[in-house]
């Protein structure tokens, strides 16, 4: 029995071991690392019959049961289909990369990231709970970030990596919110439970919000307009990364998610429009923008965007034919696009450029690569007898039968496909045929490991095209049935007879060739349009980022302006507002405490204290201020005295005296008191402090009114002499009943003393 | 007796350390040993409380509510334990990561008194005693902030101490009024008596005062300004300790007081706390987005994450509080680690300005990997500890239909990712323009002392992420204890002398 968890875990172990392996095998780590995708592939092939016909293989481990989260995996037809693509292309690209990076010091790092990505991607498609899926979803995003920025000394690579991280990160967070809401409705994060809850989900008032959030996740990951712009900029990644992550696997994760969740969320009108409209736009715009590209990788990147748009469109249509067409097209696209990316990498590697204008006639120097390129391009163009042809026929069939606006959808499809045909022609003909140019490096054939991958992928497109029923039907059928179990068995054949689909196919190829031959004017326009279109969302991203930073700057400067006075002001205003709001009901009811029967000497003392406080705050001389402070202190001691606490009064009295003496001693050494605040500032401060003082006074008076006799007092009085052996209750409280407080306060004194000593001794440069 | 040790050990250590004032090399060893003992004691205490048992001791054997009672439930024991972990990390780091000037002028004794205050605050069940521990950690941290620095540092220290003194005054006022109307200081006794007190409006005003006092301590919006104004002047190990622990003492006080004494629901404070939390998250993370001083950037993130913790408190469901406590622990470990890493980056690259740093990924790839663990965890990338924290808090919020705040929390998380990738890109990826000023002190002690605690904390972050269940089960129990404080109240009050 195959264990998805062990497969994924061992992928991460291989990744972790990669740097060590590279050292111990003297740069031959790829031989061992390749075992991972190879063995996984063999295991999968071994399960072939079981997956297509048999029950779904499920594996569930406990992870965070307190949160209701398990680490669960399921191998059904859809997961199997994706896992096969991930391992096959992973294996070939790994071998390719070992030659591409030969002698590069950073190879261990590359292997680590690449293998981690592979394991994460497998985890993503094998996950059987939303949270498991999300964990791997984010891990693919993180490894993508590091791989795009692999050439980290290039600023463009760092910017591309950041852009991809932020755009897909935004989507990832939306996805998380969507998943949580989905889990809240279904009562579980387990995918089978989500599927069962389809009706509840679709009837929930939250359904539109959930769908929006999930689509935000899927569209950012799968580069749908208007989030597509990160993908061309991700071409800063080394070519093996582009071939694997940014064409064959990771960018398909959004499509996978849509397919995976379509039984629970799909089929509604909202679903239909929310997917097919952005999908159609992406399909057309991607193909159109690709047409103007001169960089081989960017050309392929835009055509990938177009393909991803097609997939979204098909899933949006969500008819039987559309789902079938989507999966076979996804398969075909992974084959030819993976091959073409590797070929672009080989061309770049061996000739030193990937600018299509500087290339030509390479078939002489690179015959094997050129042959693979021709095959892959034919599949891309959808010509018989390649698998691409079958896929395109199905595509048209699905579009013709679109439930809404079929003619429009079909026309859009023909336009996009004609552009794709022209792109395929452009890629192959301008690179490998036609007039040779001098290139930065003298071109020669790529090393064997860099030829195997493209050759196998392109070759498989041919063989599967010839034997579609034997090689592809059952695989696609298994995948389709995971999405729509009721679908009848799938059969593919090269020849469908003279149908309207064939007419469309012929039309497409003819138009494509015409575009390639005479599309110069379109190219000129394309160039101009490209500037416009790519400025749209890309500019929006830039201004959003810059705007956020500007806002952040302004906000931070405004709040954190470096002046203590403003910090205090804010804090006290906040306190006043809250306290005032809390006191408001009391004031409204007018239950103010009674203020009668205050003896004269108490009132006089209170006035004295208040006058002292005002003088402290307003005095322009330090000496006056300190004297006034002393008045406040002595006033407070008097109050202690009036209320029967002579020992407290005495303590306070001595402290005040000592403080004043000390102040007066250091006074001559202090600089003159500067008065820098304006009158309005002073009035504002005075008002605020008075308000706060009033509020606190109100609170204290209210508290005095509500005073409850404390049972503590009684206890202290009773126990002081017999148990604590002390006649002075206050002392007993301090040293016995609440001795811990006293220990704490003594320590505070110790630290203050140490602090003064240490600060004076440790101060650099002495005092001025 | 065990429960007394987290206060007693650092206090006695401080006294011993003052005794060998002139011998920093001896102080280092004693301080480290003491931290290890504290950690062991805390772990034992956590073990005892993990079953739901509440450990108490009445100081001086005076019966509650007349004397002071120390109480350890799961939350307190967890906080003590994580304090132990951070203090061990900081002590090891200080073996080579702190300058001789500070060491010679009371660095270790001050750290010890600070830890005394922190542990005391986590354990006490007496509101006035809490005030005393707040004072102790305030004065200790103030001196540590000002110690051995220049003008900028003293300026930061003054801002720090001024705002925090306001907090102390507000705290004391609230406690005085509360004592007047409730007649008791024991938090258990208060919890038992307050529901019966008729003067709800006065209690409401008192609760507001506590909110402001703890809010300043915890650095919430709009009271947080002291934090970014001072933390970037701190040496790395001090910054690590402060960022990990000081604001979290405030948050702990929030969680304790507003579930036990003033249940937030009863006093209509949930909306207030939620609104504040949203602003705190956003303003903090936006502040961080524009910083280029490594430590200052981190200090704004502290503020932002306080917002998450308040969000959890405001939502107030068992899941939310569990998530909040998990978040606190994750955040203490990850944030302390980032400060330590900033210190090592500055040692290797000669600056705390990330624009001046660069090329560290090729120079020290191990530091890059060690940085990524806490950094990505802070941004909530799965499967690191921060992911579970974020998941639990946001899920609790969405369950209670706080969609706007959920969105704010997610945007904050994206901006955190932005900040961390900015640091990564500037410090590790980009090539540096000039060579680092080689002020390599020949007497500098081995860097291994600084790397070891970083690796330890990173390992904890990783473990808490991959194996989140044990801690999550524990914090779920802690949240249940908070929401049903009867056991706590009984434990405080029903102890015969």
């Amino acid at each position: 029995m195959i264990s998805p968890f062990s497969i994924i875990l061992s992928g991460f172990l291989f990744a972790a071991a990669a740097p060590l392996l590279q050292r111990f095998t003297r740069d031959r780590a790829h031989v061992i690392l390749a075992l991972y995708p190879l063995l996984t592939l063999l295991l999968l092939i071994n399960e072939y019959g079981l997956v297509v016909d048999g029950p779904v293989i499920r594996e569930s481990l406990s992870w965070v049961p307190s949160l209701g989260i398990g680490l669960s995996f399921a191998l059904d037809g859809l997961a199997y289909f994706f896992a096969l693509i991930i391992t096959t292309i992973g294996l070939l690209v790994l071998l390719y990369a070992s030659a591409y990076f030969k002698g590069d010091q950073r190879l261990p790092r590359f292997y680590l990231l690449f293998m981690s990505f592979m394991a994460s991607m497998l985890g993503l498609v094998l996950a059987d709970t939303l949270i498991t899926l999300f964990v791997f979803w984010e891990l693919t995003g993180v490894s993508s970030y590091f791989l795009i920025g692999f050439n980290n000394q290039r600023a463009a690579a760092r910017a591309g990596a950041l852009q991809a991280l932020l755009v897909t990160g935004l989507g990832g967070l939306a996805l998380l919110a969507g998943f949580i809401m989905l889990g809240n409705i279904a009562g579980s994060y387990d995918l089978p439970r989500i599927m069962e809850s389809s009706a509840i989900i679709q009837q929930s008032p939250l359904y539109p919000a959930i769908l929006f959030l999930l689509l935000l996740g899927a569209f950012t990951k799968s580069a749908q307009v208007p989030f597509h712009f990160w993908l061309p900029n991700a071409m800063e990644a080394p070519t093996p990364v582009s071939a694997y992550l940014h064409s064959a696997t990771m960018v398909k994760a959004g499509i996978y998610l849509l397919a995976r969740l379509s039984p629970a969320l799909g089929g509604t009108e909202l679903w239909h429009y929310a997917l097919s409209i952005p999908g159609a736009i992406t399909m057309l715009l991607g193909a159109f923008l690709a047409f103007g590209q001169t960089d081989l990788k960017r050309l392929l990147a835009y055509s990938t965007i177009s393909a991803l748009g097609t997939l979204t469109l098909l899933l949006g249509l969500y008819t039987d034919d559309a789902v079938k067409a989507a999966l076979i097209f996804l398969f075909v696209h992974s084959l030819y696009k993976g091959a073409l990316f590797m070929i672009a990498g080989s061309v770049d590697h061996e000739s030193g450029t990937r600018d299509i204008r500087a290339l030509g006639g390479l078939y002489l120097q690179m015959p094997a690569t050129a042959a693979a390129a021709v095959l892959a391009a034919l599949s891309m163009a959808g010509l018989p007898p390649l698998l691409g042809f079958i896929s395109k026929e199905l595509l048209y069939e699905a579009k013709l039968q679109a439930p809404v606006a079929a003619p429009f959808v079909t026309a859009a499809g023909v336009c996009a496909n004609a552009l794709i045909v022209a792109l395929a022609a452009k890629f192959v003909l301008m690179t490998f045929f036609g007039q040779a140019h001098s290139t930065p490096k003298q071109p020669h054939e790529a090393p064997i490991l860099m030829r195997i991958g493209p050759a196998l992928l392109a070759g498989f497109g041919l063989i599967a095209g010839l034997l579609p029923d034997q090689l592809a039907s059952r695989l696609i059928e298994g995948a389709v049935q995971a999405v729509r179990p009721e679908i009848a068995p799938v059969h593919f054949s090269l020849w469908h007879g003279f149908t309207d689909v064939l007419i469309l196919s012929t039309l497409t190829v003819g138009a494509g060739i015409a575009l390639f031959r005479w599309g110069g004017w379109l190219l000129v326009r394309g160039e101009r349009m490209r500037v416009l279109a790519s400025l749209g969302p890309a500019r929006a991203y830039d201004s959003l980022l810059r705007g956020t930073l500007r806002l952040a700057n302004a906000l931070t400067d405004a709040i954190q302006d470096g002046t203590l006075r403003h910090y205090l002001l804010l804090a006290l205003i906040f306190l006043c507002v809250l306290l005032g709001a809390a006191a408001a009901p009391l004031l409204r009811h007018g239950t103010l405490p009674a203020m009668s029967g205050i003896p004269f000497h108490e009132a006089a003392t209170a006035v004295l204290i208040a006058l002292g406080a005002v003088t402290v705050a307003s005095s322009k001389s330090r000496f006056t201020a300190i004297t006034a402070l002393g008045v406040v202190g002595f006033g407070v001691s008097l109050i202690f005295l009036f209320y029967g606490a002579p020992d407290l009064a005495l303590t306070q009295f001595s402290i005040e005296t000592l403080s004043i003496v000390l102040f007066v001693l250091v006074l001559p050494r202090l600089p003159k008191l500067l008065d820098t605040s304006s009158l309005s500032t002073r009035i504002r401060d005075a008002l605020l402090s008075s308000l706060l003082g009033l509020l606190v006074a109100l609170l204290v008076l209210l508290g005095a009114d509500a005073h409850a006799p404390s049972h503590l007092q009684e206890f202290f009085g009773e126990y002081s002499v017999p148990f604590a052996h002390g006649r002075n209750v206050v002392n007993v409280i301090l040293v016995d009943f609440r001795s811990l407080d006293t220990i704490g306060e003594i320590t505070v004194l110790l630290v203050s003393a140490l602090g003064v000593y240490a600060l004076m001794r440790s101060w650099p440069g002495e005092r001025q | 007796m065990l429960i007394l040790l987290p206060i007693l050990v650092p206090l006695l250590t401080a006294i011993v350390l003052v005794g060998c004032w002139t011998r920093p090399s001896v102080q280092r060893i004693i301080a480290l040993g003491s931290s290890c003992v504290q950690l062991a004691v805390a772990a034992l205490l956590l073990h005892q409380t993990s079953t739901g048992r509440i450990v108490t001791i009445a100081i001086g054997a005076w019966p509650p509510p007349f004397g002071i009672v120390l109480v350890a439930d799961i939350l307190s024991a967890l906080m003590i334990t994580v304090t132990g972990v951070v203090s061990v990390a900081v002590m090891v780091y200080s073996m080579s990561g702190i300058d001789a000037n500070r060491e010679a002028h009371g660095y270790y004794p001050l750290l010890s008194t600070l830890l005394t205050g922190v542990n005391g605050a986590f354990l006490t069940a007496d509101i006035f005693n809490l005030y005393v521990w707040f004072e102790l950690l305030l004065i200790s941290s103030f001196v540590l902030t000002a110690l051995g620095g220049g003008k900028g540092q003293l300026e930061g220290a003054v801002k720090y101490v001024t705002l925090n003194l306001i907090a102390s005054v507000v705290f004391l006022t609230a406690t005085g009024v509360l004592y007047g109307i409730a007649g008791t200081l024991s938090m258990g006794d208060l919890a038992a008596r307050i529901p019966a007190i008729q003067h709800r409006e006065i209690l409401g005003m008192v609760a507001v005062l506590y909110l402001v006092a703890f809010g300043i301590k915890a650095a919430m919006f709009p009271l947080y300004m002291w934090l970014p104004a001072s933390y970037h002047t701190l040496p790395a190990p001090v910054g690590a300790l402060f960022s990990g622990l000081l604001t979290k003492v405030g948050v702990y006080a929030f969680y304790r007081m507003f579930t036990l004494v003033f249940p937030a629901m009863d006093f209509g404070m949930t909306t207030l706390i939620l609104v504040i939390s949203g602003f705190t998250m956003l303003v903090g993370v936006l502040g961080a987005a524009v910083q280029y001083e490594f430590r200052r950037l981190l200090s704004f993130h502290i503020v932002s994450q306080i917002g998450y913790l308040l969000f959890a408190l405001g939502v107030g469901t068992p899941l939310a509080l569990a998530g909040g406590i998990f978040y606190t622990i994750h955040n203490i470990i990850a944030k302390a680690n980032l400060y330590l890493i900033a210190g090592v980056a500055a040692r290797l690259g000669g600056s705390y300005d990330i624009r001046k740093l660069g090329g560290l990924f090729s120079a020290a790839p191990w530091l890059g990997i060690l940085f990524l663990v806490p950094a990505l965890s802070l941004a909530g990338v799965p499967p690191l500890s921060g992911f579970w924290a974020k998941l639990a808090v946001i899920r609790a919020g969405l369950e209670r239909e706080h969609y706007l705040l959920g969105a704010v929390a997610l945007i904050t998380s994206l901006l955190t990712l932005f900040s961390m990738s900015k640091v990564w890109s500037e410090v590790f990826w980009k090539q540096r323009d000039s060579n680092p000023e080689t002020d390599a002190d020949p007497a500098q002690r081995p860097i291994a002392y600084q790397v070891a605690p970083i690796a330890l904390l990173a390992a904890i972050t990783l473990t808490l992420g991959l194996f989140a269940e044990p801690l999550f089960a524990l914090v779920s129990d802690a949240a249940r204890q908070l929401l049903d404080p009867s056991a706590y109240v009984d434990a405080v009050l029903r102890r015969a002398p």
Side-chain angles (χ1 to χ4, degrees), chain A residues 408-485:
Chain A
F408 180 77
V409 172
T410 313
V414 172
C415 287
N417 277 325
L419 281 162
I420 296 287
V421 169
L423 283 175
K426 186 174 171 181
F427 183 95
V428 164
L429 296 178
M430 291 182 70
T431 309
F432 291 101
F433 301 96
Q435 205 192 342
H437 298 272
S438 71
T439 50
K441 275 159 75 178
Q442 180 56 41
H444 53 80
E445 186 55 278
I448 175 84
L449 283 176
M450 287 173 70
R451 273 177 288 158
I452 290 179
L456 282 181
L457 291 182
F460 190 78
L462 176 64
I463 299 167
L466 294 170
L467 303 167
D469 230 19
Q470 290 82 345
L471 287 176
S473 301
R474 293 231 295 167
L475 187 62
I476 302 293
E477 188 180 305
V480 168
Q481 280 181 344
V483 180
R484 312 200 76 172

Side-chain angles (χ1 to χ4, degrees), chain A residues 500-523:
Chain A
D500 39 2
V501 170
L502 189 68
I503 299 171
L504 285 178
S505 275
T506 320
L507 185 70
T508 309
V509 174
I513 291 169
L515 267 176
F516 171 67
R517 189 74 186 77
W518 296 290
W521 63 271
L522 188 69
L523 200 67

Side-chain angles (χ1 to χ4, degrees), chain A residues 585-651:
Chain A
L586 280 173
L587 295 174
R588 220 169 347 186
H589 299 142
T591 46
L592 284 179
M595 296 269 283
S596 55
I598 302 173
F600 174 76
H601 60 279
E602 283 183 23
T605 315
V607 171
L608 197 67
I609 292 175
L611 282 178
V614 171
T615 316
V616 173
S618 58
S619 161
K620 289 192 170 59
S621 130
R622 285 187 203 273
F623 188 79
T624 321
I626 286 161
T627 317
L629 197 62
V631 171
V632 174
F634 291 131
V636 173
S637 338
L638 278 179
I639 290 186
F640 286 153
L641 202 62
F642 296 155
Y643 281 84
D647 42 358
L648 265 186
L650 210 61
T651 316

Side-chain angles (χ1 to χ4, degrees), chain A residues 26-47:
Chain A
R26 299 219 184 86
D27 292 348
R28 301 210 150 273
H30 58 279
V31 181
I32 298 170
L33 293 177
L35 284 177
Y36 173 65
L38 184 65
L39 289 176
T40 309
L41 185 61
L42 292 176
L43 274 172
L44 286 171
I45 292 173
N46 190 37
E47 299 287 342

Side-chain angles (χ1 to χ4, degrees), chain A residues 215 218-219 253-263 271 275 312 315:
Chain A
L215 289 184
F219 285 4
I255 305 298
Y256 168 80
L257 181 77
L258 294 178
R260 176 56 85 198
L261 291 178
S262 61
W271 168 278
L275 269 75
T312 307
L315 288 176

Side-chain angles (χ1 to χ4, degrees), chain A residues 263-298:
Chain A
L265 293 155
T268 62
E269 203 173 333
L270 185 63
W271 168 278
H272 177 84
Y273 288 110
L275 269 75
S276 49
I277 294 173
I281 294 175
T282 308
M283 173 177 80
L284 277 170
L285 200 67
F288 184 66
L289 293 176
F291 198 67
Q293 300 300 323
T294 51
D295 178 303
L296 285 181
K297 282 182 72 180
R298 287 179 76 90

